[in-house]
Amino acid sequence: MNSPVRTGVLLPIGRAQWGEGTDPRGLVGFGVRAERLGYDSLWVNDSLIEPRIESLAMLSALTPVTSRVTLGTAALMPVLRRPVQTAQALASLDLLSGGRLTVTVGAGFPGRLGRPLHALSEVPWERRFARLDETVALWRKLWTAEGPTSFHGEVLRFDDIPRTTPVFRPGGPDIWLGGNTPAARARTGRLYDGWLPYPPDPADYATGLAEVREAAKQAGRDPAGLSSALFVSVLLADTPAEGRRGLEAYSRANYKMELDQLETIQALTAGPPEHVVAYLRRYVDAGARHLVIRIGALDLATQTEQLERLAELLPQLRGCA
């Protein structure tokens, strides 16, 4: 499965990443610059807790000013949104982008990043995984229905839904799952088009991908047809120690936790280019074929500088497979 390695970048749509006093309209230019530098994809994440540009609004702004890159969510939390209206919004993005949309979804996190979001959205925390899977199934049904339709799941039930906005591609955009629990890996193989986790150990990525593919095989699906991606935080620096200090500040600003704790949860690397490439190559060797890079910087100027420096590594990363 030595398919080419693709590399994308997460736009810093949270105010903690673009920096106080910076005009967030510069994020559009950031995305345009990334496409011109040769990145394969642009991604946005999703939250209601902190000040940020809403994820689908950001992708809408990028749609008319880009022409080649995949536009993706990493990850969207559909359970916080009205499912029928979200199906229409995603279909519209897919249509207006010429079929360049990929939708990674997740069910949220416990603690301050989970239950408060559900409370604000008036959605029960219980059965969130079933709600997520049924939301995706509903989207796919709406995107393929020839006329008014109904949907009867265990959590979601709708009758007489009018036909929604058509999608650009038959069946609609690919939908990936961002979870990395055993249950999430099994659900990815059975129900989704790709996998976008962030395990801190490449060996765990390899084991997890094998589980995803086995679940797909057991469900009668082609394992080779599933996309294998990695979400990873990166910061280029002259030395690993300098890079680590930068990621420490990033971790505290974004997660309110120490880097020692974050690195037990997420894939992240910092240091000179050769150090970063060697780290990412281990995940490529484990099977990752789409690298979604989150730049660990706290203002748009540094994000852009890092974007330029990382672009110089794209040929090496594409040659890792």
Side-chain angles (χ1 to χ4, degrees), residues 1-289:
M1 298 185 180
N2 287 328
S3 54
V5 177
R6 305 183 70 214
T7 304
V9 65
L10 188 79
L11 274 83
I13 62 172
R15 190 167 65 185
Q17 293 88 52
W18 81 61
E20 294 285 348
T22 300
D23 188 340
R25 288 177 292 183
L27 294 168
V28 176
F30 181 94
V32 171
R33 183 62 181 153
E35 181 176 65
R36 291 175 180 171
L37 286 168
Y39 287 87
D40 299 298
S41 54
L42 299 173
W43 302 82
V44 293
N45 52 17
D46 195 25
S47 179
L48 296 177
I49 293 294
E50 57 184 337
R52 65 177 50 233
I53 302 301
E54 196 277 330
S55 56
L56 300 187
M58 186 74 248
L59 293 184
S60 297
L62 291 169
T63 294
V65 295
T66 59
S67 61
R68 175 186 56 80
V69 288
T70 295
L71 302 174
T73 61
L76 189 74
M77 290 185 279
V79 297
L80 308 181
R81 302 162 184 267
R82 301 295 183 186
V84 175
Q85 288 89 336
T86 306
Q88 183 172 6
L90 293 173
S92 299
L93 277 170
D94 188 57
L95 189 63
L96 293 172
S97 68
R100 291 186 286 131
L101 182 65
T102 293
V103 184
T104 305
V105 298
F109 304 91
R112 74 176 189 90
L113 296 176
R115 291 179 182 272
L117 296 178
H118 283 68
L120 286 171
S121 302
E122 300 179 315
V123 178
W125 174 254
E126 294 72 25
R127 305 210 67 192
R128 61 192 182 279
F129 301 113
R131 184 181 297 274
L132 174 63
D133 292 344
E134 289 189 7
T135 296
V136 170
L138 170 65
W139 292 349
R140 286 172 168 158
K141 186 168 187 178
L142 294 176
W143 293 338
T144 56
E146 295 297 327
T149 189
S150 300
F151 183 90
H152 296 154
E154 295 181 10
V155 178
L156 300 180
R157 300 182 66 85
F158 296 97
D159 290 309
D160 301 321
I161 309 171
R163 188 182 182 190
T164 58
T165 302
V167 288
F168 185 85
R169 293 169 289 177
D174 283 352
I175 304 179
W176 300 355
L177 188 64
N180 191 33
T181 63
R185 294 191 291 269
R187 287 163 49 231
T188 299
R190 293 197 314 269
L191 303 171
Y192 291 84
D193 302 308
W195 188 47
L196 178 60
Y198 46 56
D201 186 341
D204 290 339
Y205 186 94
T207 301
L209 183 58
E211 292 180 19
V212 168
R213 289 172 172 164
E214 179 60 26
K217 181 179 178 181
Q218 293 297 323
R221 308 176 71 203
D222 178 12
L226 273 64
S227 298
S228 54
L230 172 75
F231 187 99
V232 56
S233 296
V234 173
L235 185 65
L236 290 175
D238 291 337
T239 66
E242 178 187 339
R244 187 171 181 82
R245 287 193 294 271
L247 286 183
E248 181 76 56
Y250 187 87
S251 179
R252 290 174 178 173
N254 286 277
Y255 292 99
K256 307 300 187 290
M257 69 172 63
E258 299 299 316
L259 183 60
D260 288 344
Q261 182 181 358
L262 183 64
E263 65 186 354
T264 67
I265 303 169
Q266 297 185 4
L268 52 87
T269 182
E274 62 274 13
H275 175 90
V276 169
V277 171
Y279 179 89
L280 296 175
R281 182 175 287 117
R282 294 170 61 202
Y283 284 93
V284 172
D285 291 343
R289 289 297 177 269

